[in-house]
Amino acid sequence: MILLSDPKIRRLESADCGAPMVDLRHQPDLLLDKRMADEDGAFARIRKPVAERLLAAQDALPDGLRLLIVEAYRPLHLQQEIFDGYCGRLRRTYPDWADERVHVEASKFVSPPEVAPHCTGGTVDLTLCTVDGEELDMGTAMNATPEDCASACFTAATTISPDARANRELLVKVMTGAGMVNYPTEWWHYSYGDRYWALHHGLAATEFGPVDLETALQHG
């Protein structure tokens, strides 16, 4: 399993094709959850090619099911805050861990800011729900940490129920079928155009680089 803390990820060139950001709040065909909503609406911004792939993935779902988008773009300052906070939690829980191990273990739950997929506008956290918005059983809550769920948040975890396993497999099928890549420690995390996606496809550079908050909010 390759983590976002792996040097292979950092070595990839950060290029950008210039694809615009769009606002998913203006996309009536996709359901948008507000649990991660921010005052600026940054959470709902995403690159246009990714929005198109989300629609394609949803079209591949069986009748009666929808994608439920929880978070897309995340500004760098928030990524740094989340990463630092989780590293602090790990240090308090495991005081004998060296800084290098803390960095690696933290990357199983939140990306190091210098390579963060959400900051590119190419990444989305999402789940499955019914047309009425009732979330399907995915085995853990979204954003469950590996420590809190005994690593059941890993996409291929074997400790979840058969129903949850089937739901995860369905999400993997439609999302990868639409050209997106899952981060294997987070069943809810899919990306396109970022470093993890580039490494998965054997590319030397990304399609999307980091986007600053002001730029992200100018579009859509």
Side-chain angles (χ1 to χ4, degrees):
M1 180 188 301
I2 297 177
L3 300 175
L4 283 162
S5 57
D6 195 296
K8 296 186 189 74
I9 300 291
R10 292 196 303 273
R11 285 197 292 266
L12 289 169
E13 179 186 352
S14 180
D16 198 299
C17 69
M21 301 280 280
V22 297
D23 191 336
L24 292 177
R25 293 174 298 180
H26 300 157
Q27 177 49 261
D29 293 327
L30 292 170
L31 294 177
L32 186 62
D33 187 275
K34 295 184 178 179
R35 77 189 74 172
M36 299 298 291
D38 59 287
E39 185 176 347
D40 294 322
F43 83 108
R45 309 304 172 105
I46 202 164
R47 299 279 189 153
K48 184 177 179 181
V50 184
E52 293 167 351
R53 282 164 173 76
L54 292 175
L55 290 169
Q58 181 162 272
D59 285 345
L61 287 172
D63 290 344
L65 295 183
R66 302 281 298 276
L67 297 178
L68 181 63
I69 313 302
V70 175
E71 186 180 21
Y73 174 73
R74 185 185 297 158
L76 181 59
H77 72 86
L78 180 56
Q79 185 72 30
Q80 186 75 59
E81 180 182 319
I82 297 171
F83 185 75
D84 290 347
Y86 190 54
C87 284
R89 173 182 170 179
L90 290 177
R91 289 190 181 97
R92 291 189 296 273
T93 305
Y94 305 102
D96 294 334
W97 282 6
D99 286 346
E100 182 178 356
R101 182 171 182 184
V102 169
H103 191 271
V104 170
E105 295 295 330
S107 72
K108 295 178 181 178
F109 174 65
V110 58
S111 171
E114 62 271 16
V115 296
H118 280 283
C119 297
T120 69
T123 299
V124 62
D125 292 341
L126 79 173
T127 188
L128 294 173
C129 68
T130 67
V131 292
D132 297 322
E134 181 180 351
E135 294 182 42
L136 274 58
D137 177 13
M138 304 300 287
T140 73
M142 182 178 291
N143 291 325
T145 70
E147 291 73 34
D148 290 341
C149 67
S151 297
C153 57
F154 287 22
T155 307
T158 59
T159 54
I160 59 177
S161 71
D163 284 347
R165 163 57 42 206
N167 292 335
R168 289 191 188 184
E169 289 175 352
L170 175 59
L171 186 59
V172 169
K173 179 181 178 181
V174 299
M175 293 299 290
T176 58
M180 300 190 71
V181 173
N182 172 247
Y183 189 49
T185 62
E186 301 178 344
W187 61 258
W188 55 85
H189 178 113
Y190 287 84
S191 65
Y192 176 85
D194 68 321
R195 279 184 162 94
Y196 207 83
W197 171 88
L199 185 69
H200 178 83
H201 289 288
L203 303 175
T206 64
E207 189 164 333
F208 305 144
V211 181
D212 63 68
L213 178 59
E214 182 178 356
T215 300
L217 297 178
Q218 286 175 351
H219 298 278

